[in-house]
Amino acid sequence: MNVVILAAGLGKRMFSSLPKVLQTLGGQTMIEHVVETAQQLPNVGKIIVVVGHKAELVQEKLKEVPVRFVIQKEQLGTGHALLQAISDIDEKESTLVLYGDVPLIRKETLQALIDQTKNGFGLLTVKLSNPTGYGRILRQSGKVSRIVEEKDATEEQKRIDEVNTGIMLIPPKDISRWLRQLKNENQAQEYYLTDLVEFAATEGKAIVTHTAEDPMEVEGANSLVQLEALERAYQRRNANELMKKGVRLADASRIDIRGSVACGKDVFIDVGCIFEGNVVLEDRVHIGPYCVIKDSRIGEGTKVEAFSHFDDATIGKAARIGPFARLRPKAVLADQVHIGNFVEIKKSDIGLESKVNHLTYIGDSSVGQKVNIGAGTITCNYDGANKFRTVIEDDCFIGSDTQLVAPVKVGKGSTIGAGTTVTKDVSEGALVISRVPQKEIKGWTRPRKKE
Ligand code: UD1
Ligand code: CA
């Protein structure tokens, strides 16, 4: 089967400098969604994308995807768009036409259209309570005879609620002959792809229709208002999928997935969370409200409290993170680690049962097991030009308000007194304090403002 995706339109009503099909939905461009769905169909040969407006940007976006591009220099209509692809179409096979701005189409629906069409001409239709703007399906004694566009329709035809979604399956052999037969003698002066239906019907081909159950699936995004509606529908679909797999969502309308979330059993996700890239939540993970989690893996039974932000983090089992924790790239936390509020961790390993509970920055570090890091600790990993590592071995106690000036190593079981600036390596089991001994001056008068 050939697949042609029409994506040459500008999308004026988006008021954007991007071509319409590069607007995103669930963090991925609309054209990528459509290509991905097409790739999942069996027996797909070539996927051809017809580009026009800002073609370079669309091509750049899809440069790693195995598709073939065809340029439509002037947008003279959907039939003209398909004609541009004709030399890349294998006429011995049928041709599925998809739209770059109809991103929610599901492979199951396309498969149903393909299965029903057999040797006929397949049309994906939908019934709409308000069919305004769409091409109407005209029937004669039940059989489809042609499609009439809104602009060309009579008042009576405009009352037809069965409309063309644009998605069609054109049978082999006749496609190029039909496309060359198209004329632009209509209100829009465009070459309508929909006129192929009349050609096929006149030649006695069976026109098979399959009706999409969910109108959202075949809806195009022409404006930001429509795009937002599709985004909500898409997110609702994601939420339903998660719930079907056993994830408990506090509110299915308050979760956004911009990528994928794989979940184990008895996972709970509170309101307002955003998931990006590839996220894995193992069994019994609990995610508190308003967390942003990107490309991270969270181990069994771990609890993440409100307003935590993770990017490329790996967290072990039964850990407690947040509220207000920030895990940056390559933060790797072992099992039963506790990370508290206003703690930032970057490119660091934190060992089993270690605790970093308050107001701390740990960067480029390796922290052993059962370490306690006091409030306000900072690893000074950067000299303005280079980054250096801090090593804190097992069972250390780092007092509050400690600065560890890297490169530096704190030996196993040692203790750092509060307020210390550690600039030299600390041996095992030692106590280090660098603060000035406390002095007391009795009856001290503070400086007064001069007259
Ligand atoms: C089209 C159908 C209409 C259907 C509706 C569904 C035709 C003549 N009409 O109308 O029956 O109900 O879709 O949404 O086909 N495109 C190109 N090159 C062009 C023109 C369009 O690539 O020269 C692309 C657009 O980027 C868009 C798609 O084709 O993705 C549809 O074009 P559009 O102009 O929106 O068609 P409609 O008038 O909505
Ligand atoms: Ca349209």
Side-chain angles (χ1 to χ4, degrees):
M1 185 173 66
N2 306 285
V3 175
V4 183
I5 303 173
L6 304 188
L10 169 65
K12 259 191 214 141
R13 285 173 287 164
M14 287 285 179
F15 300 101
S16 166
S17 56
L18 285 176
K20 175 158 74 170
V21 295
L22 292 190
Q23 296 289 342
T24 59
L25 187 109
Q28 193 183 33
T29 63
M30 293 201 277
I31 186 76
E32 286 172 291
H33 281 281
V34 179
V35 170
E36 221 165 71
T37 305
Q39 283 171 332
Q40 288 168 20
L41 294 170
N43 309 320
V44 168
K46 252 183 260 170
I47 297 180
I48 303 162
V49 182
V50 181
V51 288
H53 273 287
K54 305 209 175 174
E56 346 57 74
L57 294 181
V58 182
Q59 283 171 293
E60 173 64 24
K61 188 73 207 175
L62 296 179
K63 67 172 187 283
E64 318 248 287
V65 185
V67 296
R68 211 182 177 92
F69 294 100
V70 170
I71 310 269
Q72 185 194 23
K73 285 204 198 77
E74 274 182 293
Q75 279 71 60
L76 302 179
T78 48
H80 179 261
L82 191 60
L83 183 61
Q84 308 312 298
I86 201 68
S87 58
D88 284 295
I89 288 174
D90 177 357
E91 282 219 48
K92 289 192 293 299
E93 306 295 339
S94 48
T95 302
L96 177 68
V97 180
L98 300 175
Y99 290 69
D101 62 347
V102 180
L104 294 191
I105 186 69
R106 291 180 314 128
K107 66 170 191 299
E108 290 81 3
T109 304
L110 295 175
Q111 191 60 56
L113 173 69
I114 294 164
D115 292 345
Q116 283 176 29
T117 298
K118 301 208 175 73
N119 300 320
F121 190 117
L123 277 183
L124 185 64
T125 61
V126 67
K127 289 210 170 184
L128 297 178
S129 50
N130 178 11
T132 310
Y134 289 86
R136 311 297 204 283
I137 308 289
L138 304 191
R139 291 180 183 266
Q140 271 171 3
S141 42
K143 285 188 184 160
V144 175
S145 56
R146 65 184 180 100
I147 296 174
V148 61
E149 292 302 305
E150 168 92 18
K151 282 181 185 162
D152 307 297
T154 63
E155 285 311 310
E156 197 188 341
Q157 288 166 336
K158 280 183 190 168
R159 281 195 288 273
I160 298 171
D161 66 351
E162 186 188 17
V163 306
N164 175 32
T165 65
I167 292 172
M168 56 176 72
L169 185 62
I170 305 168
K173 294 205 296 279
D174 305 301
I175 183 168
S176 97
R177 183 171 55 82
W178 285 339
L179 286 173
R180 289 180 217 281
Q181 219 170 299
L182 287 175
K183 298 208 169 65
N184 64 349
E185 290 157 7
N186 49 53
Q187 285 300 323
Q189 294 187 304
E190 282 184 7
Y191 296 90
Y192 289 163
L193 182 53
T194 44
D195 286 352
L196 259 56
V197 173
E198 189 177 3
F199 301 161
T202 311
E203 293 176 20
K205 279 256 175 223
I207 313 289
V208 182
T209 55
H210 175 69
T211 307
E213 280 158 36
D214 175 10
M216 269 307 185
E217 199 183 324
V218 291
E219 196 108 327
N222 298 305
S223 66
L224 292 175
V225 172
Q226 285 173 338
L227 184 60
E228 189 271 353
L230 291 188
E231 176 82 42
R232 287 304 103 210
Y234 174 74
Q235 294 302 348
R236 184 72 215 197
R237 194 191 269 181
N238 288 336
N240 287 349
E241 287 300 316
L242 283 182
M243 290 188 291
K244 273 188 221 155
K245 288 178 188 154
V247 177
R248 174 75 215 276
L249 299 179
D251 181 348
S253 65
R254 283 187 284 169
I255 176 170
D256 282 80
I257 298 176
R258 301 172 190 159
S260 75
V261 184
C263 290
K265 289 201 183 75
D266 296 308
V267 167
F268 173 81
I269 301 172
D270 214 326
V271 302
C273 293
I274 298 175
F275 296 90
E276 296 178 53
N278 296 311
V279 173
V280 178
L281 308 178
E282 294 179 5
D283 293 352
R284 296 185 308 285
V285 163
H286 179 112
I287 308 289
Y290 304 103
C291 292
V292 178
I293 301 179
K294 180 180 177 193
D295 291 318
S296 294
R297 180 175 193 104
I298 303 180
E300 234 177 276
T302 286
K303 188 165 190 197
V304 178
E305 307 271 11
F307 301 103
S308 292
H309 190 290
F310 306 160
D311 179 4
D312 186 17
T314 308
I315 305 168
K317 296 176 183 152
R320 291 184 152 267
I321 319 288
F324 301 100
R326 180 166 185 213
L327 303 181
R328 291 175 49 205
K330 300 206 179 86
V332 179
L333 317 188
D335 296 349
Q336 295 168 62
V337 160
H338 288 190
I339 304 294
N341 42 232
F342 310 109
V343 172
E344 173 180 345
I345 298 184
K346 185 215 79 173
K347 209 176 179 185
S348 296
D349 300 320
I350 312 286
L352 181 78
E353 287 183 51
S354 287
K355 294 177 182 155
V356 193
N357 274 330
H358 331 264
L359 303 155
T360 289
Y361 173 61
I362 303 288
D364 302 293
S365 301
S366 166
V367 176
Q369 302 186 357
K370 296 194 175 171
V371 170
N372 187 83
I373 295 188
T377 297
I378 290 175
T379 54
C380 311
N381 58 334
Y382 186 49
D383 63 5
N386 300 295
K387 298 268 169 74
F388 300 97
R389 287 197 73 78
T390 299
V391 176
I392 301 172
E393 295 186 339
D394 296 350
D395 298 308
C396 284
F397 181 95
I398 311 293
S400 297
D401 192 27
T402 291
Q403 300 90 50
L404 298 136
V405 183
V408 74
K409 178 173 155 184
V410 182
K412 196 171 169 181
S414 53
T415 305
I416 310 296
T420 294
T421 303
V422 182
T423 53
K424 288 180 278 191
D425 286 357
V426 176
S427 43
E428 284 187 18
L431 167 68
V432 169
I433 312 180
S434 72
R435 58 182 189 255
V436 180
Q438 188 167 329
K439 282 195 282 188
E440 188 169 303
I441 299 167
K442 297 218 186 304
W444 173 254
T445 44
R446 287 187 216 140
R448 294 217 175 88
K449 199 168 177 127
K450 289 186 181 128
E451 289 285 297

